[in-house]
Amino acid sequence: MLDKIRIILVNTTHPGNIGAAARAMKNMGLGRLYLVAPKKYPDEEAVWRAGHALDVLDNVVVTETVDEAIGDSGLVIGTSARERKIPWPLMTPREVALRAKEEPSKQDIAILFGREDRGLTNEELQKCHIHLNIPTADEYSSLNLAQAVQVVSYELRLAAFGEALPSEKETQNDKRDWDVPLASTEAMELFYAHLEQVLIDIDFHDPKTPRQTMTRLRRLFTRVRMDDMELAMLRGILKKIDKTVGGK
Amino acid sequence: MLDKIRIILVNTTHPGNIGAAARAMKNMGLGRLYLVAPKKYPDEEAVWRAGHALDVLDNVVVTETVDEAIGDSGLVIGTSARERKIPWPLMTPREVALRAKEEPSKQDIAILFGREDRGLTNEELQKCHIHLNIPTADEYSSLNLAQAVQVVSYELRLAAFGEALPSEKETQNDKRDWDVPLASTEAMELFYAHLEQVLIDIDFHDPKTPRQTMTRLRRLFTRVRMDDMELAMLRGILKKIDKTVGGK
């Protein structure tokens, strides 16, 4: 899907934004950049800001008009910051990305980004099937051009690779990619017994007046879901304490 | 939720990135920017790239160390591009945003962004409860710093305003109904220092050949997110061991 996307920057003033947009695109796996009548391009600043996305700049297509850049694209999307007089189908970046993914046409999908200071003209926006609006704070709604390209490219990548939704099982305690097997319940019980004995030996814990010491420690170590190596390390610490206490 | 977020840029080289990050933040409704030992700041380039986010720069907090910038934040998240030797709880920007939304603590949420050329150090990453990785193309995985701030801020905004996001499942680490406040990062650092000293005293750990002892222990206790009472209990155990060892 990503290779069907044309990112079209219209009348860009600052070459740095062109370079930064190229980098944002490549970071997200996009590669087809079109420039409609850029004010200053090629330019060193574009090269500098592109980082390792020089191949995107090498393959850039510069055109005189928006129509040339759109070419035979089957779906045309225009970014729009402001509310326009005439209501138009309006989508968020996420909706656009899902739409792009479902687009049946084999033709390209063109996404237009306007001028730094005033976006796309009404005439340009009327060439678009869909208007795209990036959610922003009311106080300052105008994103830098390359940042807007970044957000849209990011959503396109997530949609393309099905990462748009966090996996249900994904939690911060997820151990699917953990390097060591999780400790078994039996091993944990042996650990608790050992821990309790050590706590008695160092006069921290008295089984006759237990308060909630062991309950709280069990809750702590149950929550963390230790792996075998972590458990072995804690057992090793307990053994060292045993030895120290025994030697006193 | 957005006013609890501290964006922390560590050792930033280019002032332009600081300005661009401030703009990205304000566009998304964030305002609290911390700079840890920036190479060149204040600087005209930062002002120019900030656009109309000068108030974010005016309120910037510059610190000498990462610990000062984190302060008493209750949840610390570190951006990480690379695979690390020791797996750590790893989330996407979207997962982090959902997590930040559900965070029960009234304390701040700190999000760290590393140096342009080499990100955060392992030591810095070990201070973090969660590592944050932005999905990228394999060919070019290093986002510009301000672009990374943009993507994360964008997801935070979407989560904060509940725009069509699936609600996160209850997890076993959910602390919304927890009975005791979570331990602060400062208190945890004191605990790690105490723990390391005790491990040296009982001959378990030698700082000259540390292997990965402290890294693994930090990972363990970072994962569990201890509350104040649990931390006090563990500190009490360490003190008892101190006493026993001292008395041998």
Side-chain angles (χ1 to χ4, degrees), chain A residues 43-248:
Chain A
D43 188 272
E44 267 182 23
E45 179 78 5
V47 172
W48 183 66
R49 293 280 297 280
H52 298 294
L54 295 179
D55 53 332
V56 177
L57 292 186
D58 286 343
N59 295 319
V60 92
V61 179
V62 179
T63 69
E64 289 288 316
T65 67
V66 170
D67 285 341
E68 287 172 80
I70 291 174
D72 64 353
S73 300
L75 178 65
V76 182
I77 296 160
T79 50
S80 167
R82 284 159 286 176
E83 296 279 321
R84 302 284 166 171
K85 259 188 227 162
I86 305 175
W88 210 268
L90 189 68
M91 290 190 181
T92 66
R94 196 159 296 172
E95 289 165 338
V96 160
L98 291 171
R99 174 63 197 278
K101 192 186 180 186
E102 285 162 14
E103 177 66 17
S105 165
K106 281 183 188 120
Q107 289 166 287
D108 283 351
I109 298 167
I111 307 182
L112 278 67
F113 294 81
R115 297 147 193 85
E116 284 97 335
D117 55 349
R118 55 196 182 86
L120 295 169
T121 64
N122 283 329
E123 194 194 353
E124 287 158 356
L125 280 166
Q126 285 169 25
K127 296 178 192 294
C128 300
H129 302 104
I130 297 166
H131 292 172
L132 162 59
N133 181 259
I134 298 175
T136 57
D138 292 339
E139 297 77 42
Y140 190 15
S141 65
S142 168
L143 265 70
N144 163 272
L145 173 60
Q147 302 281 38
V149 172
Q150 178 72 69
V151 167
V152 172
S153 300
Y154 164 75
E155 287 286 8
L156 288 167
R157 177 168 195 83
L158 293 193
F161 291 92
E163 300 172 70
L165 300 174
S167 132
E168 287 178 13
K169 279 170 280 174
E170 197 85 31
T171 75
Q172 75 162 350
N173 257 7
D174 189 7
K175 299 293 189 309
R176 273 176 298 179
D177 302 320
W178 213 246
D179 54 345
V180 177
L182 295 184
S184 69
T185 307
E186 292 92 349
M188 286 303 295
E189 288 302 321
L190 291 173
F191 165 69
Y192 291 130
H194 193 174
L195 177 62
E196 182 161 18
Q197 189 54 54
V198 166
L199 294 180
I200 294 167
D201 291 344
I202 64 170
D203 293 331
F204 183 83
H205 171 60
D206 180 358
K208 283 176 210 150
T209 55
R211 288 167 304 170
Q212 292 187 311
T213 302
M214 288 312 297
T215 304
R216 288 201 176 265
L217 285 170
R218 274 176 178 270
R219 184 180 67 166
L220 180 79
F221 288 108
T222 304
R223 224 157 71 223
V224 74
R225 302 192 63 206
M226 287 198 286
D227 66 36
D228 282 341
M229 197 183 296
E230 289 166 339
L231 182 59
M233 190 168 54
L234 292 190
R235 289 296 296 268
I237 293 172
L238 293 175
K239 276 179 204 155
K240 280 288 187 188
I241 299 172
D242 275 343
K243 215 172 153 185
T244 312
V245 174
K248 83 175 160 181

Side-chain angles (χ1 to χ4, degrees), chain A residues 22-33:
Chain A
R23 177 171 177 177
M25 289 169 61
K26 186 165 181 184
N27 284 151
M28 296 297 138
L30 294 158
R32 302 176 57 202
L33 178 60

Side-chain angles (χ1 to χ4, degrees), chain A residues 23, chain B residues 10-18 39 114-119 142-145:
Chain A
R23 177 171 177 177
Chain B
V10 180
N11 268 188
T12 307
T13 299
H14 300 294
N17 285 333
I18 295 172
K39 295 276 167 65
R115 297 148 192 86
E116 284 96 334
D117 53 348
R118 56 197 181 86
S142 169
L143 264 71
N144 165 272
L145 173 60

